[in-house]
């Protein structure tokens, strides 16, 4: 097992990040995060898919990239607060059949992923495919006859309906791993976006004749947030490296996949904790203007809060890490 990894992206991966970043800038993606109750931007989603953003997750196509490319793309989308079921799409491509996977990859279909026993369906009013995540498996569900729209903290419209299970799908572990990598990378990058905004504000806003950033009570919590976010980002990239080794190696080699599963679980839990803590600390820095809808950062923190609590929940990941540490039941 490797102990030293170069977690920097190579030239091709940096080029992918740059292309996705230009796409987001050209389409003013962050402006969408400031809106509430608007219809899902289906054309924008299709354009992102046509850019090739979901191809790296396609099983059996290493020439299209892999988990590191998924990680790089998710980081960039998180920086720009791109809307939609990004991690759920990467997960679904791993577990659905080839035809449905291609429809997701090309942006012709949208997936909703919910927790077992839940009636809350992320982007359920727009979804064409419905998946249910259990503790250790992923199932395909029949499309509901009707989905009631639900307004969410993040300003996006989800849905509520009772799903009926169709069948349990194969390759659930691979799906969970790639989904967790994407979520962790997105959350960490969104948290960095928030941290930069708070740090810039603390460097220029003055109180008692000093910049806010000169006070230890402001600077130290921001530094602690940066450490936590960096750790989550590094775990996501490490998980991606292990997943790619498992993907390109011998199909019977389970060690890398097990390692990727544990690292991705740790990355998800780490990113959830670090990003939520960052949202709390940064709002302390901005004070009252930080919680106003038209303010400089509320659209970032509410996206973080919504995604950090989105399905699948972290129950499986907690149990996985406890078992790996020999502390499970």
């Amino acid at each position: 097992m490797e102990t030293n990894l170069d977690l920097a992206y190579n030239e091709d991966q940096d080029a992918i990040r740059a292309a996705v970043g230009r796409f987001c800038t050209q389409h003013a993606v962050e402006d969408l995060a400031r809106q509430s109750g608007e219809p899902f931007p289906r054309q924008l989603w299709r354009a992102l898919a046509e850019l090739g953003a979901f191809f790296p997750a396609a099983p059996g196509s290493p020439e299209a990239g892999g988990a590191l490319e998924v990680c790089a793309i998710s980081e960039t989308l998180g920086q720009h607060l791109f809307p939609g079921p990004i991690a759920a799409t990467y997960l679904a491509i791993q577990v659905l059949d080839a035809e449905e996977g291609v429809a997701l990859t090309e942006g012709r279909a949208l997936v909703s992923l919910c927790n077992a026993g839940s009636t809350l369906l992320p982007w359920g009013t727009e979804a064409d495919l419905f998946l249910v995540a259990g503790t250790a498996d992923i199932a395909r569900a029949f499309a509901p006859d009707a989905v009631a729209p639900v307004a969410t903290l993040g300003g996006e419209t989800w849905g509520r309906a009772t799903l009926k299970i169709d069948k349990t799908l194969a390759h659930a572990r691979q799906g969970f791993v790639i989904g967790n990598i994407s979520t962790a990378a997105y959350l960490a990058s969104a948290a960095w976006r928030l941290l930069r905004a708070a740090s810039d504000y603390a460097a220029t806003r003055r109180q008692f004749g000093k910049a806010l950033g000169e006070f230890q009570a402001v600077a130290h919590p921001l530094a602690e947030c940066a450490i936590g976010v960096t750790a989550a980002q590094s775990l996501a990239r490490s998980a991606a490296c292990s997943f790619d080794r498992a993907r390109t190696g011998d199909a019977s080699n389970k060690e890398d996949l097990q390692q990727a599963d544990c690292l991705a679980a740790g990355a998800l839990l780490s990113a959830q904790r670090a990003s939520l803590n960052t949202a709390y600390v940064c709002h302390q820095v901005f004070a009252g203007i930080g919680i106003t809808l038209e303010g400089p950062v509320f659209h970032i923190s509410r996206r973080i809060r919504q995604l950090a609590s989105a399905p699948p929940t972290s129950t499986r990941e907690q149990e996985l890490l406890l078992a790996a540490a020999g502390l499970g039941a």
Side-chain angles (χ1 to χ4, degrees):
M1 185 178 299
E2 294 185 28
T3 56
N4 295 312
L5 286 174
D6 181 4
L7 299 179
Y9 292 123
N10 61 30
E11 290 184 4
D12 291 340
Q13 291 154 357
D14 278 333
I16 291 172
R17 288 203 301 171
V20 174
R22 286 193 299 270
F23 174 87
C24 292
T25 300
Q26 290 167 0
H27 290 83
V29 167
E30 188 169 336
D31 290 345
L32 296 174
R34 298 180 182 273
Q35 302 172 4
S36 295
E38 296 295 322
F40 182 77
R42 201 68 181 251
Q43 289 185 335
L44 180 64
W45 183 265
R46 182 70 178 266
L48 177 68
E50 291 174 351
L51 188 67
F54 300 118
F55 276 102
S61 302
E63 67 279 359
L68 273 171
E69 283 73 18
V70 168
C71 195
I73 293 168
S74 298
E75 285 181 15
T76 307
L77 296 177
Q79 177 184 346
H80 292 271
L81 308 174
F82 199 97
I86 296 163
T89 300
Y90 285 126
L91 178 151
I93 292 170
Q94 293 290 311
V95 299
L96 290 172
D97 62 37
E99 182 178 352
E100 291 177 327
V102 170
L104 289 172
T105 300
E106 295 179 351
R108 292 184 285 107
L110 197 74
V111 66
S112 176
L113 173 68
C114 74
N115 290 316
S118 175
T119 59
L120 183 61
L121 311 178
W123 298 279
T125 57
E126 297 283 341
D128 308 289
L129 303 170
F130 295 84
L131 299 182
V132 178
T135 302
D137 57 32
I138 300 170
R140 172 72 185 274
F142 295 105
D145 293 331
V147 178
V150 177
T152 62
L153 171 66
E156 297 161 331
T157 300
W158 287 9
R160 191 173 296 280
T162 299
L163 296 180
K164 294 183 179 179
I165 300 300
D166 178 11
K167 60 183 178 180
T168 301
L169 302 172
H171 310 300
R173 170 177 272 186
Q174 289 93 318
F176 280 123
V177 172
I178 204 73
N180 287 345
I181 289 171
S182 176
T183 300
Y186 187 109
L187 277 173
S189 194
W192 269 122
R193 170 75 178 79
L194 185 55
L195 267 173
R196 285 193 294 270
S199 298
D200 290 344
Y201 181 78
T204 56
R205 182 73 167 90
R206 300 184 68 82
Q207 289 283 0
F208 307 108
K210 293 183 178 181
L212 284 179
E214 295 183 49
F215 294 96
Q216 291 184 358
V218 174
H220 288 187
L222 289 174
E224 290 175 359
C225 288
I227 292 170
V229 171
T230 300
Q233 190 175 69
S234 297
L235 279 171
R237 294 187 185 186
S238 296
C241 288
S242 292
F243 187 84
D244 283 342
R245 286 198 302 270
R247 187 186 191 196
T248 57
D250 191 319
S252 64
N253 181 10
K254 297 181 179 180
E255 183 178 350
D256 285 328
L257 184 57
Q258 174 65 29
Q259 182 184 22
D261 203 0
C262 289
L263 287 171
L268 175 66
L269 296 175
S270 180
Q272 288 173 332
R273 182 179 185 276
S275 62
L276 289 173
N277 185 54
T278 297
Y280 174 80
V281 169
C282 290
H283 275 295
Q284 292 287 322
V285 173
F286 279 100
I289 65 170
I291 59 172
T292 58
L293 184 61
E294 65 276 7
V297 295
F298 181 69
H299 66 291
I300 308 174
S301 64
R302 73 174 184 172
R303 179 63 58 81
I304 287 173
R305 291 181 183 279
Q306 179 164 309
L307 185 58
S309 59
T313 63
S314 57
T315 302
R316 172 187 179 273
E317 283 61 43
Q318 292 170 355
E319 293 177 355
L320 176 65
L321 292 177
L322 286 172
L327 301 175

